[in-house]
Amino acid sequence: MIRSESKVVNALRAALGDAVSTNTADLEAARSDQSGQRSEHPPLAAITARSIEHVQAALRIAHEHGVPVVPRGAGSGLTGGAMASRGQLVLSTAAMTRVLEINEADQLAVVEPGIVNAELNRLLEPRGLRWAPDPASREISTVGGNIATNAGGLLCAKYGVTREAVLGLDVVLADGTLMPLGHRTVKGVTGLDLTALMIGSEGTLGVIVGATLKLTPIPTGPVATIGAYFATIEQAAEASAAITAARVRPAAMELVDPLALASILNHLGLPPREAESAHLLVQTDGEAAESEAHAVLAIITALGGSASMTTDPDEGERMLAVRRAMHPAMAALGQVLIEDVAVPRSRLPEMFAEIRRIGDRYGIRIPTVAHAGDGNLHPNLVYHGDEVPNEVWAAAGELFEAALALGGTLTGEHGIGTLKRRWLADELGDEQVALQRRIKDAFDPRGILNPGAVFSAP
């Protein structure tokens, strides 16, 4: 460790005590996330913040010395956005797990950022309330991480992404200033919406240390779950587009292509389906759940699918478990570059056809699932070895080009991180990227917050 770095670590230890670690195991853990990628070197130190004051002190010291800081929650991200490297500090808020308030009358909760999504909802359930964001990583991902990436999930089609479920934030800026943003009211339009700007900023503008969350009542009445199968993924995607066009609004609507379905069934030890069989999973809730489910069944049957429906909660959860098993099923195949494009829902059949074409062209398996209710696809590019092969990156680039050509976007819910930054200007254009850089400079004039995430080096 060079002298200046030693000085920084000593200053941190003097201010934070045992919240600062240089243990090899702690530093190694901060080098990777769930993307399968890994930074080239371990960071300088790992800070486990247990309070707002810890975060403020760490950032004041880092700002004074110009040391880069990588904010981190559970490390469940899929784009390399929270991986720390040489000369950097990793600042974790995963130990800040308190629920400070649950206000049933106003249907809001005030929480620290480290509480796990599913744990929060287990606390809310006895009160008949929930926080609607439902990422596949809900059992391990933190609320702060959900907010930092504007996470999505299966329920986004009806209940929206994280941005729609956040009223206010407490954020520590790069120089250690604590900044309360947002409000506790349902409405609030005073000044610029800095809360919305912070959501999805991936730790580049500030560190989230508290959140005021908008809760919703848990829907009452039966929940209907439909499992349908089609001869091809394009036919299944056409059915999902037809359901959307019919103005039925499912709570969840998921597509699983034949490659993904075969891998999932094998991983779960379930009987295989026909070779090209594609799966459409639809769930409806609320007072109109059953009537909407019957409308969905009629569309599926008319378009050549076979389907079954249940209102039994346990059976419905078993059907959803097939979709939720996608990530471990892919991990069993090898290394996976998990992508995250979105297209208008009516263009889903075309995007699936493009994925098939790109996979065939490069000789790469691309099992794909999609949140069909909001047009968000997750192509999984499977490879072997420690480095992503050039042909996989080339295929990913063509996937992004195809999504943009169909009126879509590079990322629906995972964010840009470090893995997609090279394509940022392809969607936004150089002028908007330059404007976003100026916004980052206003929040972080020394450029210490998560350098390399979202934006390439200037």
Side-chain angles (χ1 to χ4, degrees), residues 28-29 73 107 150 275 357 408 439:
E28 287 297 313
Q107 296 183 17
N150 195 22
R357 178 189 64 78
I439 292 170

Side-chain angles (χ1 to χ4, degrees), residues 205-254:
L205 304 181
V207 179
I208 296 164
V209 293
T212 301
L213 306 177
K214 178 182 178 182
L215 308 179
T216 56
I218 295 173
T220 57
V223 174
T225 306
I226 297 167
Y229 293 91
F230 290 83
T232 68
I233 187 59
E234 288 84 0
Q235 289 176 341
E238 287 168 4
S240 74
I243 291 166
T244 298
R247 300 184 182 177
V248 178
R249 197 176 181 191
M253 184 160 61
E254 300 290 309

Side-chain angles (χ1 to χ4, degrees), residues 230 238-244 246 248 294-305:
F230 290 83
E238 287 168 4
S240 74
I243 291 166
T244 298
V248 178
H294 286 295
V296 168
L297 282 171
I299 292 170
I300 289 170
T301 303
L303 293 175

Side-chain angles (χ1 to χ4, degrees), residues 81-138:
M83 302 189 309
S85 192
R86 174 180 289 166
Q88 299 179 338
L89 304 173
V90 59
L91 176 56
S92 171
T93 58
M96 298 173 64
T97 60
R98 292 184 300 165
V99 176
L100 303 176
E101 179 186 355
I102 298 174
N103 188 316
E104 295 183 47
D106 289 329
Q107 296 183 17
L108 62 83
V110 182
V111 305
E112 291 186 327
I115 188 166
V116 170
N117 179 301
E119 179 59 27
L120 172 62
N121 276 307
R122 281 191 281 270
L123 294 173
L124 294 172
E125 185 177 8
R127 302 169 186 257
L129 296 169
R130 71 179 178 190
W131 193 51
D134 180 44
S137 59
R138 61 184 182 174

